[in-house]
C-alpha cells in the first residue's frame, strides 16, 4: 500500500495545477452534455482541408483496404474487425476503438471515388457517416471523446473535398453532416483536454480553429488562436523537435501545424506567417532524424503507419510554403544526435524521458541508439506494440532498448499505460566529431555514462556505471528481424541472406544470444509483433569501461 501511495505521489507531483484541477473535473466534463445552439447557417468559409501530397499519397492510402471497407471490415493498427453499423460497438482495445472513430479509413474511400468516379464509394461513405450519426448519442462514449472529435472532423472535411460535387449536391446529407460537425465542435470547446495537455490538447485547439473559421465564429477564433500559438511555443523545442520526444508524434504535430497554417493562409489570417519558421525547424528535424534510417526511429512511443510519411510531409511543406529541409546531426534540446560513416547512419537518444508533466509516451531508452546500413534497419529499439495489454510494460522497459540495466532496475519508474513516477535526471550529452558521450542518473541513483564512436567503419560502444559493486550490469543490443547471428569463439557475426554485415566483439563483458521470447519481440508498427534477436552483454559493476565494438565490412552500393 505504501509503495502504491509513493508511486502515485511521485507521478502526481510533476503535474501542472491545471492538470490536477482537470483530473478532478474530467469525469463530470465528459459526462455532461452542454446545451447546443443550432447550426446558424451552412459554412461561410470555403476552406480546402485536402492537401493532395499528404492525403492521396500512395503509401498512405495503401494502409487501408478499400475492398474490406466496402464489406464493413476495418483494419486499423494491424487488427481487423467487422463493423456493426447498427451499434458501432465491438470488442477491441480502447486505442483501436479510438482509431475507428477517427474515420481516417474513409479517406481511402473518397480517394477511390476521386480516382474512379464510381458512386459506390460515395454511397458507402454516406452509409458509414449516417449510421455513425444515428447510433452514437450526442456527447456520449468514445465517439464523442474530445480526442476522437479532434481527429475525425478534419478527416471528414478531407473526404468532402475529395467527393467534390457529389457531396455538395447532396443537400439533405450535407445538412445532416454539418449539423453533426457543429455539435461536435461546440462540445469540443467545452471538453478541451486541459487534464491531459500535450498532443491531445494540441489536437483539440487545431480542430476548434478549423471549425471557427469554417463557421465564421470570430470570437471563438480569436480566443483559440492565442491558445494555439502559445501551445506551439510550448510544445516545439528550439531545435525543432516536438517536446514529447516521439518522432511519430512529431510528425503528427507537424501535419497539424501544416494544416492550420494552410487554413489561416486561405482565410487571410496573418498569423500563418508566424508559423512558417516553426514548420521549417520541424521539417529540418524530421528530415534529419529519419535520414538514413528508412523508418520512424523507435524512441519513446513511436512506430510507422500512424503519422504521415516524412517524405510526404516534406513534399507538402515545399508545395505549400516553399520549405526545403536543412539537415543537421545535433538536436541538443531534445537530446537526439546522429552519426554517419558512408552508408551507416546512427541515431542516439541522450535526452529526458519527456516533458516533466507529460511523460506518458516516454520509454526507458536513454543512451540507446538505432543504426541502419544502406537505409536498412539493423540495430533497433523494440518499438511500441500496443497502448493497452500485456506487452505494454515490456516495450516501455529498459531492456527493450539498446541501452543497459543495473541488475533488474529500470531507468525510470514507468507504470500503468501512460504513467511515470520516479525518473531519470541530470541528463547530459555532447557530440564531438564522430563521438557522442552522454550520462544520466537513474531513479535508483545509479549513474550511467556511455560513449559512442563511429570511425573507419567501426562502432565502439563503451559504458561505465557508478553503482554498488554487488550489481551485475546488463547491456542489450537488439537486432532487427531478417538478420542471422552466429557466435564463434570471440566473434559474433551478423549476416543478411548469407552476406556478412558486421562482426561484434565484446569488450570486458560476457555475451549471450537470445533468439526467442519476449526479449526478442519487435514492433515497427502498432499491432505488429515480430521476432528478432538480442545480444546481452553483462559484467560485474566496477569503475572500468565495458561494452562492445562492431566492425562493418567495406561499403557496398545499395
Amino acid at each position: 500500500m505504501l509503495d502504491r501511495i509513493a508511486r502515485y505521489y511521485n507521478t502526481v507531483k510533476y503535474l501542472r495545477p491545471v492538470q490536477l484541477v482537470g483530473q478532478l473535473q474530467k469525469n463530470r466534463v465528459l459526462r455532461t452534455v452542454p446545451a447546443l445552439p443550432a447550426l446558424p447557417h451552412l459554412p461561410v468559409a470555403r476552406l480546402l482541408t485536402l492537401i493532395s501530397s499528404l492525403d492521396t499519397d500512395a503509401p498512405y492510402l495503401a494502409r487501408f483496404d478499400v475492398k474490406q471497407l466496402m464489406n464493413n471490415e476495418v483494419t486499423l493498427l494491424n487488427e481487423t474487425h467487422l463493423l456493426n453499423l447498427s451499434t458501432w460497438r465491438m470488442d477491441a482495445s480502447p486505442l483501436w476503438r479510438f482509431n475507428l472513430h477517427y474515420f481516417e479509413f474513409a479517406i481511402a474511400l473518397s480517394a477511390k471515388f476521386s480516382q474512379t468516379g464510381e458512386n459506390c464509394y460515395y454511397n458507402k461513405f454516406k452509409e458509414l457517416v449516417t449510421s455513425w450519426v444515428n447510433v452514437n448519442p450526442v456527447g456520449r462514449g468514445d465517439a464523442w471523446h474530445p480526442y476522437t472529435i479532434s481527429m475525425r472532423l478534419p478527416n471528414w472535411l478531407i473526404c468532402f473535398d475529395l467527393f467534390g460535387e457529389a457531396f455538395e449536391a447532396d443537400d439533405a446529407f450535407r445538412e445532416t453532416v454539418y449539423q453533426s460537425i457543429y455539435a461536435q465542435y461546440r462540445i469540443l470547446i467545452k471538453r478541451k483536454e486541459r487534464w491531459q495537455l500535450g498532443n491531445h490538447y494540441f489536437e483539440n485547439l487545431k480542430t476548434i480553429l478549423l471549425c471557427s473559421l469554417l463557421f465564421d465564429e470570430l470570437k471563438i477564433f480569436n480566443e483559440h488562436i492565442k491558445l494555439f500559438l502559445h501551445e506551439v511555443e510550448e510544445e516545439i523545442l528550439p531545435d525543432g523537435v516536438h517536446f514529447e520526444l516521439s518522432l511519430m508524434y512529431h510528425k503528427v504535430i507537424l501535419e497539424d501545424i501544416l494544416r492550420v497554417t494552410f487554413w489561416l493562409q486561405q482565410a487571410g489570417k496573418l498569423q500563418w506567417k508566424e508559423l512558417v519558421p516553426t514548420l521549417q525547424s520541424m521539417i529540418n528535424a524530421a528530415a534529419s532524424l529519419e535520414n538514413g534510417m528508412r523508418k520512424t526511429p523507435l524512441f519513446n512511443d513511436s512506430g510507422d503507419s500512424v503519422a504521415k510519411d516524412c517524405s510526404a510531409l516534406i513534399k507538402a511543406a515545399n508545395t505549400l510554403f516553399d520549405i526545403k529541409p536543412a539537415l543537421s546531426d545535433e538536436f541538443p534540446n531534445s537530446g537526439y544526435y546522429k552519426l554517419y560513416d558512408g552508408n551507416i547512419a546512427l541515431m542516439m537518444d541522450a535526452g529526458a524521458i519527456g516533458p516533466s508533466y507529460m511523460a506518458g509516451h516516454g520509454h526507458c531508452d536513454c543512451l540507446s541508439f538505432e543504426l541502419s546500413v544502406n537505409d536498412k534497419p539493423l540495430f533497433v529499439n523494440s518499438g511500441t506494440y500496443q497502448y493497452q495489454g500485456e506487452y505494454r510494460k515490456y516495450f516501455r522497459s529498459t531492456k527493450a532498448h539498446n541501452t543497459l540495466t543495473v541488475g533488474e532496475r529500470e531507468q525510470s519508474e514507468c507504470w500503468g499505460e501512460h504513467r511515470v513516477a520516479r525518473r531519470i535526471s541530470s541528463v547530459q550529452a555532447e557530440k564531438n566529431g564522430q563521438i557522442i558521450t552522454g550520462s544520466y542518473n537513474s531513479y535508483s541513483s545509479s549513474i550511467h555514462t556511455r560513449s559512442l564512436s563511429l570511425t573507419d567503419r567501426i562502432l565502439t560502444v563503451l559504458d561505465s556505471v557508478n553503482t554498488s559493486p554487488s550489481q551485475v550490469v546488463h547491456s542489450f543490443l537488439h537486432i532487427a528481424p531478417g538478420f542471422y547471428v552466429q557466435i564463434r569463439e570471440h566473434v559474433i557475426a551478423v549476416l543478411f541472406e548469407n552476406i556478412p554485415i558486421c562482426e561484434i566483439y565484446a569488450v570486458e563483458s560476457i555475451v549471450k544470444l537470445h533468439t526467442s521470447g519476449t526479449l526478442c519481440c519487435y514492433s515497427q508498427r502498432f499491432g505488429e509483433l515480430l521476432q528478432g534477436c538480442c545480444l546481452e552483454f553483462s559484467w560485474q559493476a566496477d569503475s572500468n569501461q565495458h561494452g562492445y565494438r562492431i566492425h562493418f565490412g567495406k561499403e557496398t552500393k545499395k
Side-chain angles (χ1 to χ4, degrees):
M1 176 61 76
L2 291 178
D3 286 345
R4 186 178 181 184
I5 292 172
R7 189 169 58 185
Y8 269 100
Y9 169 76
N10 285 305
T11 302
V12 169
K13 73 179 184 182
Y14 290 102
L15 299 182
R16 290 187 167 180
V18 67
Q19 290 174 290
L20 294 172
V21 173
Q23 287 290 343
L24 295 174
Q25 298 175 341
K26 177 181 175 182
N27 289 335
R28 178 178 59 81
V29 168
L30 293 179
R31 284 197 305 264
T32 303
V33 180
L36 298 173
L39 174 64
H41 45 66
L42 284 177
V44 173
R46 291 293 180 181
L47 290 178
L48 188 67
T49 304
L50 172 71
I51 300 175
S52 293
S53 54
L54 286 178
D55 303 315
T56 61
D57 179 50
Y60 168 65
L61 293 176
R63 299 177 187 178
F64 310 103
D65 190 321
V66 173
K67 289 183 179 179
Q68 281 188 341
L69 291 172
M70 295 299 291
N71 293 314
N72 297 332
E73 289 185 327
V74 185
T75 298
L76 303 167
L77 307 176
N78 291 290
E79 183 179 332
T80 303
H81 290 276
L82 180 64
L83 176 58
N84 184 337
L85 296 184
S86 66
T87 65
W88 277 75
R89 303 288 186 268
M90 58 192 60
D91 183 17
S93 72
L95 180 63
W96 197 95
R97 297 198 308 267
F98 263 45
N99 274 263
L100 174 68
H101 288 292
Y102 298 166
F103 254 88
E104 188 179 16
F105 58 85
I107 295 175
L109 290 172
S110 59
K112 196 70 172 177
F113 172 86
S114 180
Q115 294 164 5
T116 66
E118 295 180 17
N119 284 329
C120 61
Y121 302 113
Y122 177 68
N123 292 335
K124 174 54 67 175
F125 172 78
K126 184 175 177 179
E127 180 187 23
L128 289 165
V129 172
T130 301
S131 70
W132 186 93
V133 171
N134 289 339
V135 305
N136 287 289
V138 173
R140 305 297 183 189
D142 293 339
W144 289 81
H145 189 282
Y147 193 76
T148 63
I149 295 173
S150 300
M151 304 302 282
R152 178 172 55 251
L153 296 190
N155 289 334
W156 277 8
L157 292 165
I158 291 167
C159 292
F160 301 165
D161 288 340
L162 283 166
F163 285 123
E165 184 59 30
F167 174 73
E168 290 299 323
D170 195 345
D171 291 339
F173 177 57
R174 188 161 56 99
E175 179 74 21
T176 297
V177 170
Y178 277 123
Q179 289 283 359
S180 177
I181 289 175
Y182 192 72
Q184 294 177 58
Y185 151 60
R186 296 301 296 231
I187 283 180
L188 179 58
I189 292 172
K190 298 291 186 181
R191 293 182 175 179
K192 294 191 293 288
E193 294 176 83
R194 301 299 299 272
W195 59 83
Q196 187 82 5
L197 297 181
N199 72 85
H200 277 237
Y201 183 57
F202 200 95
E203 297 292 349
N204 302 160
L205 296 176
K206 169 208 71 178
T207 297
I208 291 169
L209 281 179
L210 166 61
C211 291
S212 68
L213 291 170
L214 193 67
F215 296 113
D216 195 27
E217 297 193 326
L218 186 60
K219 182 179 179 181
I220 294 173
F221 171 81
N222 287 336
E223 176 186 350
H224 287 85
I225 188 64
K226 293 177 183 177
L227 295 174
F228 182 82
L229 293 174
H230 177 271
E231 206 62 23
V232 169
E233 185 177 1
E234 169 79 7
E235 295 198 23
I236 310 307
L237 299 173
D239 60 14
V241 178
H242 184 250
F243 77 156
E244 290 184 57
L245 306 181
S246 154
L247 272 296
M248 180 184 79
Y249 282 105
H250 175 90
K251 290 187 289 186
V252 170
I253 297 298
L254 170 55
E255 179 187 344
D256 291 339
I257 298 177
L258 267 172
R259 291 202 194 274
V260 171
T261 309
F262 185 41
W263 297 329
L264 293 174
Q265 185 187 53
Q266 292 178 73
K269 304 294 185 182
L270 295 181
Q271 291 95 337
W272 76 268
K273 295 182 179 180
E274 297 180 42
L275 293 172
V276 172
T278 299
L279 286 174
Q280 178 71 69
S281 66
M282 294 187 77
I283 284 288
N284 293 347
S288 298
L289 295 173
E290 288 202 20
N291 185 40
M293 307 306 289
R294 202 185 172 187
K295 66 176 179 63
T296 304
L298 300 179
F299 298 91
N300 297 311
D301 279 340
S302 283
D304 284 334
S305 299
V306 173
K308 300 293 197 304
D309 287 351
C310 187
S311 58
L313 290 162
I314 291 171
K315 184 177 180 181
N318 181 246
T319 300
L320 294 176
F321 305 110
D322 195 30
I323 291 172
K324 298 179 177 64
L327 299 183
S328 175
D329 54 14
E330 295 186 53
F331 295 85
N333 303 106
S334 55
Y336 289 126
Y337 296 87
K338 298 291 292 286
L339 292 175
Y340 300 94
D341 187 353
N343 62 346
I344 304 169
L346 179 148
M347 178 176 168
M348 181 179 179
D349 174 12
I353 196 169
S356 60
Y357 65 90
M358 187 64 190
H361 289 298
H363 287 201
C364 295
D365 59 9
C366 194
L367 303 191
S368 70
F369 68 93
E370 293 203 324
L371 183 146
S372 293
V373 179
N374 275 339
D375 290 330
K376 183 174 181 60
L378 171 54
F379 301 120
V380 292
N381 288 322
S382 297
T384 306
Y385 174 60
Q386 58 188 187
Y387 280 170
Q388 296 90 19
E390 61 178 317
Y391 286 99
R392 178 62 171 161
K393 181 178 180 181
Y394 168 71
F395 278 96
R396 295 183 79 195
S397 72
T398 310
K399 63 177 61 177
H401 303 86
N402 294 325
T403 186
L404 61 77
T405 65
V406 178
E408 294 297 318
R409 298 174 184 170
E410 299 287 352
Q411 291 181 354
S412 296
E413 195 176 15
C414 297
W415 64 286
E417 293 171 2
H418 292 91
R419 289 174 174 166
V420 183
R422 294 171 291 177
R423 73 269 314 257
I424 58 173
S425 61
S426 302
V427 185
Q428 301 179 52
E430 180 182 18
K431 182 176 182 293
N432 185 7
Q434 288 296 102
I435 301 173
I436 307 170
T437 56
S439 66
Y440 66 89
N441 292 8
S442 72
Y443 84 84
S444 59
S445 300
S446 298
I447 301 174
H448 174 202
T449 302
R450 168 168 280 189
S451 169
L452 287 183
S453 170
L454 180 60
T455 57
D456 299 325
R457 303 190 66 76
I458 298 175
L459 172 64
T460 303
V461 180
L462 294 177
D463 296 295
S464 61
V465 180
N466 185 348
T467 189
S468 166
S470 64
Q471 296 293 327
V472 176
V473 179
H474 306 270
S475 175
F476 301 92
L477 183 63
H478 295 267
I479 300 171
F483 290 90
Y484 177 65
V485 178
Q486 291 180 333
I487 298 182
R488 46 181 187 266
E489 296 184 0
H490 302 297
V491 180
I492 306 159
V494 180
L495 304 92
F496 182 76
E497 296 180 347
N498 293 321
I499 300 173
I501 303 299
C502 62
E503 292 183 340
I504 305 173
Y505 300 84
V507 176
E508 300 296 324
S509 60
I510 299 169
V511 63
K512 179 180 180 181
L513 174 64
H514 300 268
T515 58
S516 63
T518 303
L519 194 57
C520 298
C521 287
Y522 176 67
S523 183
Q524 185 174 324
R525 299 169 184 83
F526 278 67
E528 177 186 74
L529 194 61
L530 304 176
Q531 286 277 305
C533 58
C534 179
L535 291 169
E536 178 182 355
F537 302 85
S538 59
W539 60 88
Q540 198 73 34
D542 58 26
S543 60
N544 297 326
Q545 289 187 318
H546 305 259
Y548 47 90
R549 288 190 176 89
I550 305 174
H551 293 239
F552 296 90
K554 292 182 179 180
E555 182 173 353
T556 57
K557 294 183 179 180
K558 296 180 184 179

